[in-house]
Amino acid sequence: MKIAILIVAAGRGTRAGTERPKQWEPLAGARVIDWTLRLFQELSEAAQIMIALHPDDMAKFSAPPGIDVTAGGATRADSVRAGLEAITASTLGRDCTHVLIHDVARPCTSRALIDRVLEALRGGAQAAAPALPVTDALWTGADGRVTGMQDRSGLYRAQTPQGFDLHAILEAHRAHQGNAADDVAVARVAGLDVVIVPGDDSNLKITYPPDFARAEALLRGSMDIRIGSGYDVHRFGPGHHVTLCGVAVPHTRGLQGHSDADVGLHALCDAIYGALAEGDIGRHFPPSDAKWKGAESHIFLRRAVALTKEKGFSISNLDVTLVCEEPKIGPHAATMRAALAEMTGLEMGRVSVKATTSERLGFTGREEGIAAMASVLLVTG
């Protein structure tokens, strides 16, 4: 069984009350679409991932490697059909036997729920969809008043992803006229038998403004959080300035090192690599390599930030402490914060640079060099 993934993301989401369509709204450190996409990027069974976008949104989305994009249609059914056609016409999708169709506005779907849908398909089901039985009393109403009751027996709340035999659901959509609430509705019109698998209360669909807060809480609860710390020391030597956190600070001596000896950036790089369990700065930029001799340390930090993104993390905040008697850091701290913000892509409110002395104790107290400590918090997204 080879699985294709179709994420439907062409809607305008007017009920969400946002300036932009809800899939582009920020949520727990990323956008809604980024969270939803990540669900399936981590799915080893996925042979292809296709996203159906509104034609107006095609230019605003830079598809990650291995992700395909197609233009959706005027209705959800049109978008799904366009996505299915694009999958079967593509090199990766033409050999797929099944497809999972998922709403972009469901970023909190669990791997366990996806596995339940896949297991039903592996068991021979033509179609399988998650749902929850309706447990609340149901009313009919008009003008803000209850007008009657509705029997809830046998009623379910439908969710996605919904799984299908790829070619069967494509033929069903080709034959379907008009719009449909979901793909199960299209499948049933075509005579496909749909298996119900247990849904999940946390698999909410973002529809109204309050849904963003609930989704944020769910995603924050499952977020991968990493803390890293770094420490570095460089001795004084000949020179007329020291480079600290990317800023040249006038001084009667310089700092000695293979690169520009920016002790603040080196400690920060070590903090990032530590949070990623990627060793230390020497592993990535060995001092034995002549090409790093005299290198500006912002190169090291920018590479560390890039690796952070490659591994699916972002820097939430960072803190650098410089330990020295001289030079005085206070007059330059704001400039250092701005430099670090530019290198890392963070806003200034997430960047801290401060200094302390060692009360004339130890090598820093004797003004033999400068030490730096750094801490970072990394979060998924």
Side-chain angles (χ1 to χ4, degrees):
M1 188 171 73
K2 294 188 67 175
I3 303 293
I5 309 297
L6 173 57
I7 298 174
V8 188
R12 300 293 83 187
T14 55
R15 290 177 292 176
T18 54
E19 294 183 6
R20 296 162 290 193
K22 57 193 173 186
Q23 56 267 38
W24 307 111
E25 283 295 300
L27 180 68
R31 298 172 301 181
V32 171
I33 193 171
D34 299 323
W35 283 107
T36 304
L37 180 58
R38 188 176 301 153
L39 295 172
F40 299 100
Q41 285 179 297
E42 298 171 353
L43 191 68
S44 60
E45 295 89 340
Q48 184 186 34
I49 300 176
M50 179 74 67
I51 304 176
L53 293 176
H54 192 281
D56 293 345
D57 294 343
M58 298 289 281
K60 71 173 61 172
F61 183 71
S62 179
I67 307 300
D68 295 307
V69 175
T70 192
T75 67
R76 186 186 188 283
D78 290 338
S79 295
V80 172
R81 184 168 62 253
L84 294 173
E85 297 282 9
I87 288 171
T88 55
S90 68
T91 302
L92 291 174
R94 66 182 56 161
D95 294 328
C96 289
T97 57
H98 293 77
V99 62
L100 297 184
I101 304 175
H102 191 62
D103 295 326
V104 71
R106 292 186 186 271
C108 304
T109 307
S110 69
R111 176 58 197 261
L113 185 148
I114 295 171
D115 285 341
R116 290 195 288 271
V117 177
L118 291 175
E119 189 59 30
L121 295 177
R122 291 191 190 98
Q126 288 181 303
L132 291 170
V134 174
T135 57
D136 296 319
L138 295 177
W139 306 332
T140 58
D143 299 323
R145 286 177 167 76
V146 177
T147 59
M149 304 295 293
Q150 175 68 49
D151 183 13
R152 66 188 177 217
S153 301
L155 295 181
Y156 287 82
R157 293 188 286 130
Q159 298 184 334
T160 68
Q162 297 173 355
F164 304 92
D165 177 287
L166 173 57
H167 299 286
I169 193 63
L170 174 57
E171 290 304 319
H173 269 281
R174 285 172 173 170
H176 189 77
Q177 300 296 316
N179 201 11
D182 65 3
D183 301 292
V184 166
V186 174
R188 282 187 45 76
V189 170
L192 299 183
D193 184 46
V194 183
V195 172
I196 299 173
V197 303
D200 190 331
D201 271 322
S202 66
N203 185 24
L204 83 159
K205 182 179 181 182
I206 297 174
T207 305
Y208 298 106
D211 295 332
F212 283 95
R214 185 181 169 202
E216 177 111 8
L218 289 167
L219 291 171
R220 292 286 185 190
S222 62
M223 181 178 290
D224 190 355
I225 299 175
R226 306 283 189 89
I227 297 173
S229 63
Y231 177 77
D232 195 39
V233 172
H234 282 286
R235 70 175 67 241
F236 282 125
H240 51 76
H241 75 277
V242 293
T243 301
L244 298 171
C245 297
V247 175
V249 177
H251 191 47
T252 56
R253 290 177 290 174
L255 288 174
Q256 304 301 295
H258 187 66
S259 61
D260 62 3
D262 190 328
V263 66
L265 292 193
H266 294 178
L268 183 54
C269 286
D270 269 359
I272 294 172
Y273 288 132
L276 295 173
E278 284 285 341
D280 60 18
I281 190 172
R283 170 177 160 186
H284 296 266
F285 305 98
S288 57
D289 192 335
K291 72 179 178 180
W292 304 122
K293 184 173 179 58
E296 296 181 347
S297 294
H298 71 83
I299 298 171
F300 307 155
L301 180 58
R302 294 180 195 277
R303 295 260 189 106
V305 172
L307 181 62
T308 299
K309 294 178 180 178
E310 289 171 15
K311 288 184 166 288
F313 290 88
S314 60
I315 300 174
S316 178
N317 71 290
L318 61 88
D319 178 33
V320 177
T321 301
L322 299 169
V323 184
C324 59
E325 302 292 333
E326 294 289 345
K328 298 303 181 186
I329 303 302
H332 308 281
T335 306
M336 293 177 186
R337 290 178 63 212
L340 290 178
E342 188 279 324
M343 293 177 213
T344 59
L346 294 178
E347 60 186 48
M348 287 278 283
R350 295 179 179 272
V351 177
S352 169
V353 175
K354 58 189 187 296
T356 187
T357 71
S358 56
E359 300 292 337
R360 296 290 176 183
L361 300 174
F363 74 93
T364 56
R366 295 188 297 270
E367 297 188 41
E368 295 172 2
I370 297 179
M373 298 176 289
S375 299
V376 297
L377 179 67
L378 307 185
V379 296
T380 46

